[in-house]
Amino acid sequence: MKAFCTILLLATTLPAQTASHAALEARAKAIHANALVLDAHIDTPYRLTREGGDISQRLSKGHFDFVRAREGGLDASVFAIYVASRFDYTGSIKAGAFAEAQRLLKMIDNILAQSADLAAQAFTPEEVRRVVQSGKHAVILGLENGSAIENDLANLRALAQRGICYVTLTHSKDNQIADSSYDPRRTHKGLSAFGKQTIAEMNRLGVMVDVSHISDEAFWQVLALTKSPVIASHSSLRKFRRMQRNMSDSMLVAVQKNGGVVCTNFGSFFLSESFQSSVVRKDRKIAEARKLFKAEPARLEVELKKIRAESPIINATFNDLIKHLDYAIKLIGIEHVGLGSDFDGIDVVPLGLEDVTSFPKITKELLRLGYSEADIRKVLGENFLRVWQANLDNRARE
Ligand SMILES: [Zn+2]
């Protein structure tokens, strides 16, 4: 009897469920198509430097090209002008950071010249909308690692002229501006004196300060100093993945008070504690085996095979990203959360978030969670554009 009732129940509820799922799907599709979808941090220039490739074509490697961006309804993205720490300017030694930024800018110019029918650079939020309306992908530029300023604010002014909308103050090492979350040295205990001048000049120029990658001390000093809202271009939440590279709840609240936006990183490393512990566990076992069976290559091979089979990596999933987004929205409000995938800069992507074609899933899930169209649009791109515009509006009148 019980089985019969279950069958009856399924027969009556399934069509209704299917119908409501189809309606949700259609509504999500429409919202996604109408919204301006923007990714605040894409590392494609970095990938192109390492591997080459023509992003005007659909590529089988990497996470971004203009064809897949169109498929995923991704209208605009910030291309990171990523200057690796090996180029860092230290004291009086120039290691070529500004030149490296120039090289990347030239590379992007060439790409845009060759893909003029697909994409164009945007210097302001208004231009982003214009480019997108013309059916092209809007490429925005952001500098990842302030070391490219090389202790000379004239370089910052030159980069702002080239359309750099934000500067990520550091990368993996302390530099001449600030301490990095990844660097245990804590050279300046936050910002250097030059770093403080840099913040003031960025405010004056209308260039956003990106707090991703800096140490906690540097973060709090930036928040105390800046006169314009800040951005975290690609940071997730410490609540679910404990590391200084992610944002604590009190940091999130500080960004809310400052009027800024936190754009969530999609990388498994940023989203999931289980992922990271499984990686650490496996790496430790591999290192131990290599040490133990150093003199026995055949045995080592067998052991490594065993470790790989017995210690699988527990990857993050699409739901982990949603967990971060939903928690941040509930804590600091819909106005202060955005998306900064870090695609092409992250080694492992979560299951279900393989590349830029995955963006529509985010819209659908936010809709399913009960967020309104207006709210979803904010997360998808409007919050980033608002913060950028506020920085431009606060610019000093020359
Ligand atoms: Zn980064």
Side-chain angles (χ1 to χ4, degrees):
M1 188 62 186
K2 199 165 176 230
F4 175 74
C5 288
T6 313
I7 291 164
L8 203 72
L9 194 74
L10 277 173
T12 49
T13 55
L14 263 184
Q17 272 175 8
T18 315
S20 72
H21 185 262
L24 179 90
E25 184 96 41
R27 176 117 180 83
K29 229 176 181 168
I31 293 173
H32 197 77
N34 292 331
L36 199 150
V37 184
L38 183 151
D39 189 327
H41 196 89
I42 288 233
D43 261 320
T44 303
Y46 164 67
R47 178 170 62 85
L48 293 177
T49 296
R50 285 184 312 163
E51 299 173 0
D54 175 4
I55 56 169
S56 67
Q57 310 289 323
R58 195 177 209 288
L59 300 171
S60 55
K61 278 166 93 181
H63 305 137
F64 176 98
D65 52 60
F66 292 132
V67 181
R68 279 181 287 169
R70 183 165 289 178
E71 262 175 56
L74 178 64
D75 300 304
S77 49
V78 181
F79 275 25
I81 305 295
Y82 162 62
V83 176
S85 296
R86 69 174 184 280
F87 296 107
D88 276 5
Y89 179 96
T90 43
S92 59
I93 303 159
K94 284 186 184 183
F98 184 68
E100 174 63 2
Q102 296 296 328
R103 183 189 70 75
L104 288 161
L105 290 168
K106 184 100 194 103
M107 183 178 88
I108 292 169
D109 274 351
N110 290 338
I111 291 171
L112 293 177
Q114 284 157 19
S115 320
D117 52 335
L118 296 171
Q121 193 188 336
F123 288 72
T124 62
E126 208 182 307
E127 277 186 25
V128 170
R129 292 186 202 281
R130 209 178 309 141
V131 170
V132 172
Q133 256 157 31
S134 73
K136 295 179 189 177
H137 188 87
V139 171
I140 308 159
L141 302 177
L143 174 67
E144 184 170 28
N145 199 348
S147 63
I149 297 165
E150 287 189 347
N151 260 18
D152 185 351
L153 294 176
N155 290 335
L156 173 61
R157 291 189 278 273
L159 290 162
Q161 281 269 312
R162 270 300 271 106
I164 294 286
C165 77
Y166 65 67
V167 174
T168 315
L169 300 179
T170 63
H171 190 254
S172 58
K173 296 269 191 309
D174 297 352
N175 65 10
Q176 81 277 23
I177 293 173
D179 294 340
S180 162
S181 61
Y182 287 137
D183 192 333
R185 288 177 297 170
R186 302 289 186 259
T187 309
H188 311 290
K189 308 231 170 325
L191 290 168
S192 69
F194 178 69
K196 289 172 186 165
Q197 288 171 29
T198 304
I199 305 291
E201 187 63 5
M202 286 171 73
N203 284 168
R204 199 183 70 81
L205 294 168
V207 175
M208 292 182 277
V209 179
D210 179 11
V211 298
S212 288
H213 280 291
I214 59 177
S215 69
D216 281 13
E217 278 171 303
F219 171 87
W220 291 109
Q221 290 168 20
V222 166
L223 271 277
L225 263 178
T226 183
K227 292 185 167 63
S228 289
V230 300
I231 174 180
S233 70
H234 57 307
S235 293
S236 303
L237 310 190
R238 219 173 279 180
K239 165 92 181 163
F240 303 112
R241 169 74 176 98
R242 293 178 299 278
M243 61 168 171
Q244 200 166 112
R245 176 66 183 79
N246 276 343
M247 316 267 296
S248 69
D249 283 9
S250 56
M251 291 161 93
L252 291 169
V253 171
V255 172
Q256 173 199 33
K257 284 190 185 140
N258 154 277
V261 61
V262 176
C263 301
T264 312
N265 193 308
F266 293 8
S268 296
F269 172 73
F270 294 83
L271 294 176
S272 162
E273 204 65 62
S274 323
F275 165 77
Q276 189 53 18
S277 347
S278 69
V279 170
V280 170
R281 214 163 32 234
K282 189 174 194 168
D283 286 353
R284 197 177 45 228
K285 282 184 183 170
I286 289 175
E288 277 166 9
R290 284 192 198 284
K291 217 164 126 189
L292 215 59
F293 306 109
K294 207 173 161 187
E296 302 169 71
R299 174 81 193 273
L300 176 64
E301 236 7 82
V302 173
E303 290 297 324
L304 289 180
K305 224 174 179 174
K306 210 168 118 194
I307 293 168
R308 285 186 187 116
E310 287 172 3
S311 311
I313 298 296
I314 305 162
N315 202 354
T317 64
F318 171 74
N319 287 339
D320 286 309
L321 173 72
I322 297 297
K323 196 166 73 175
H324 282 247
L325 286 174
D326 194 42
Y327 181 86
I329 293 168
K330 291 202 165 88
L331 182 71
I332 61 173
I334 199 87
E335 315 280 337
H336 305 285
V337 181
L339 308 171
S341 70
D342 210 1
F343 272 143
D344 280 337
I346 42 180
D347 296 327
V348 184
V349 291
L351 298 170
L353 265 174
E354 277 70 30
D355 60 16
V356 288
T357 60
S358 308
F359 276 95
K361 290 184 190 171
I362 301 170
T363 302
K364 190 175 148 193
E365 191 54 21
L366 291 176
L367 187 67
R368 203 187 61 78
L369 288 172
Y371 291 104
S372 70
E373 174 168 2
D375 282 352
I376 294 169
R377 278 173 176 248
K378 287 176 185 170
V379 176
L380 291 179
E382 293 301 333
N383 286 338
F384 176 94
L385 293 177
R386 181 199 79 236
V387 170
W388 187 9
Q389 189 60 52
N391 274 262
L392 294 175
D393 291 346
N394 288 353
R395 254 182 309 192
R397 311 267 173 259
E398 302 283 330

